[in-house]
Amino acid sequence: MNNREGKYSKFALVREMLETSEVVRKFDVSSTRRFADRLSNSKALFLSGEGSSRIFPAKRAIYSALKNGGPINIVTEGSTQAMEYKLDDYAVFGASNSGQTKEVVRLFMKIKEEGHQAYFGLTANANTRLEKLAIDTHVMNCGKEDAVAATKSVIEQGLFYDSIVHQLAGKELEGLDDLADAIEAALTLEIDPEIVEVLRNADLIYFAGRNTGVVEELTLKTNEITRKKSDFLEGTYAVHGIEEVMDKNEVVIVVDPFESEEEKFKECLVDGVGMQVVAISSRQTSFPTIQIPHGGDYKDYVELAAGWNVLVEIGIALGIDLDKPVRARKVGNEYFVQE
């Protein structure tokens, strides 16, 4: 996709996606230091929120901390279920772009009433109900999103948590200019028209891959952007039973496939079901591959951007208004004060 052709530039969604590289380039790592300082004595971090404000930012932080041996245990859950948990030993972050998400507001009302000592907000808007409840709140700099599907804000939320985890380990985020370049390349990469056609005609699009938040977030975005049904297949779940009900008219997009498992995917899904498998990866795989820059330690951000690119191409091929889903709303479940 690009901003030069009218079929792309007329959509706020595309414009906001393409602004992501500058969001990364301008991210201020110093903005997270006061939160890292507050968390310096915490042993565990609980990241809550709903939908896109939680899936990629929280799960990417967990994956990174586990992979790199982070200094703090990180857990995530939706805010309504979190109300059933004993969170006394956790520093809690609630992410809500609107600052008005009902589930997050209720969770913060509860833990405030219980006298919790460390609960913080992450929003894209100032002077919200969440900001009034939280001990401290970071208001992001990505700017307003007009499209229903959250995009650039998701990346900034991810960087915010990433920066805190780095600072707790005595480090700083580095290489953000290189990451911005890689994201821009992934967003503007020309997608093979044959792959777009396969995906356009699919009855259902599965996303498979690591539990980094990337494939789960792309599953949600598939619903919002292409209006197609989609499913999230964590890890190698795609070859552990679900193939029994898969159909040749469905497609699996596997993100950064485990090289050791490619043959099994081919055996079970391509040969067994008769369906097509497409890969998004920095290397050429044994499947038709959308090849992207690697991104180093930040490869998850690049993979997510590449997935957005693919979904935009599908949506445009289907003639969909990318900015206006029929049922989905910008604020999924808004908190209203009963007068």
Side-chain angles (χ1 to χ4, degrees), residues 11-315:
F11 293 114
L13 178 70
V14 171
R15 296 193 297 272
E16 289 160 6
M17 286 178 174
L18 291 172
E19 288 168 3
T20 299
S21 59
E22 282 306 300
V23 170
V24 173
R25 216 177 295 278
K26 294 177 180 178
F27 182 78
D28 180 9
V29 296
S30 68
S31 66
T32 60
R33 288 195 186 113
R34 73 179 192 270
F35 296 96
D37 289 344
R38 285 178 177 269
L39 297 175
S40 59
N41 295 320
S42 299
K43 295 181 179 179
L45 182 58
F46 192 91
L47 306 179
S48 196
E50 302 301 317
S52 294
S53 289
R54 183 178 74 90
I55 295 170
F56 175 77
K59 294 198 171 185
R60 199 270 168 189
I62 292 170
Y63 174 81
S64 179
L66 288 171
K67 183 178 180 181
N68 299 312
I72 192 168
N73 181 42
I74 307 176
V75 181
T76 187
E77 193 63 76
S79 298
T80 299
Q81 186 165 325
M83 291 179 70
E84 300 176 355
Y85 295 167
K86 188 173 179 61
L87 297 174
D88 303 45
D89 295 331
Y90 290 86
V92 180
F93 267 93
S96 164
N97 281 344
S98 68
Q100 299 292 131
T101 304
K102 184 176 182 179
E103 295 90 338
V104 182
V105 169
R106 288 187 308 197
L107 173 63
F108 272 49
M109 290 172 67
K110 176 178 183 287
I111 60 179
K112 181 177 182 178
E113 184 177 333
E114 292 172 348
H116 201 288
Q117 297 299 305
Y119 52 101
F120 312 101
L122 177 58
T123 79
N125 294 282
N127 302 315
T128 63
R129 188 162 186 84
L130 178 59
E131 186 175 359
K132 292 173 183 176
L133 284 167
I135 291 174
D136 194 1
T137 297
H138 176 70
V139 180
M140 297 188 295
N141 297 312
C142 60
K144 185 175 182 290
E145 288 176 316
D146 292 317
V148 168
T151 51
K152 60 181 179 176
S153 62
V154 173
I155 297 294
E156 185 168 353
Q157 287 166 332
L159 290 174
F160 179 82
Y161 290 147
D162 220 342
S163 182
I164 289 176
V165 173
H166 272 72
Q167 288 166 354
L168 288 173
K171 303 175 183 178
E172 296 284 356
L173 284 185
E174 296 179 344
L176 293 186
D177 284 340
D178 291 339
L179 173 59
D181 291 341
I183 286 175
E184 184 173 3
L187 286 169
T188 57
L189 181 71
E190 185 174 351
I191 310 299
D192 185 339
E194 291 186 8
I195 291 178
V196 175
E197 189 64 12
V198 166
L199 297 170
R200 174 185 183 274
N201 292 319
D203 292 339
L204 186 152
I205 299 175
Y206 296 96
F207 279 90
R210 291 166 178 78
N211 191 17
T212 61
V214 174
V215 291
E216 188 173 358
E217 173 65 13
L218 289 175
T219 299
L220 171 58
K221 287 292 177 284
T222 299
N223 303 146
E224 293 177 337
I225 295 172
T226 74
R227 319 296 198 261
K228 283 184 175 289
K229 293 182 180 179
S230 187
D231 197 4
F232 161 50
L233 308 178
E234 179 187 342
T236 60
Y237 175 43
V239 294
H240 282 276
I242 194 171
E243 67 269 28
E244 183 67 22
V245 296
M246 286 173 156
D247 186 89
K248 64 181 179 180
N249 294 322
E250 300 167 346
V251 177
V252 174
I253 298 178
V254 57
V255 178
D256 189 22
F258 298 102
E259 195 166 356
S260 61
E261 301 302 323
E262 284 185 40
E263 183 56 36
K264 191 64 176 179
F265 269 57
K266 181 179 181 300
E267 175 191 331
C268 290
L269 306 180
V270 179
D271 299 336
V273 179
M275 68 195 309
Q276 298 201 53
V277 176
V278 174
I280 295 174
S281 178
S282 60
R283 63 178 175 85
Q284 181 61 49
T285 73
S286 55
F287 309 112
T289 304
I290 299 165
Q291 200 160 352
I292 61 174
H294 188 279
D297 290 337
Y298 306 110
K299 69 183 184 68
D300 316 293
Y301 295 93
V302 183
E303 292 164 358
L304 182 59
W308 292 346
N309 189 356
V310 173
L311 296 179
V312 165
E313 293 294 349
I314 297 169

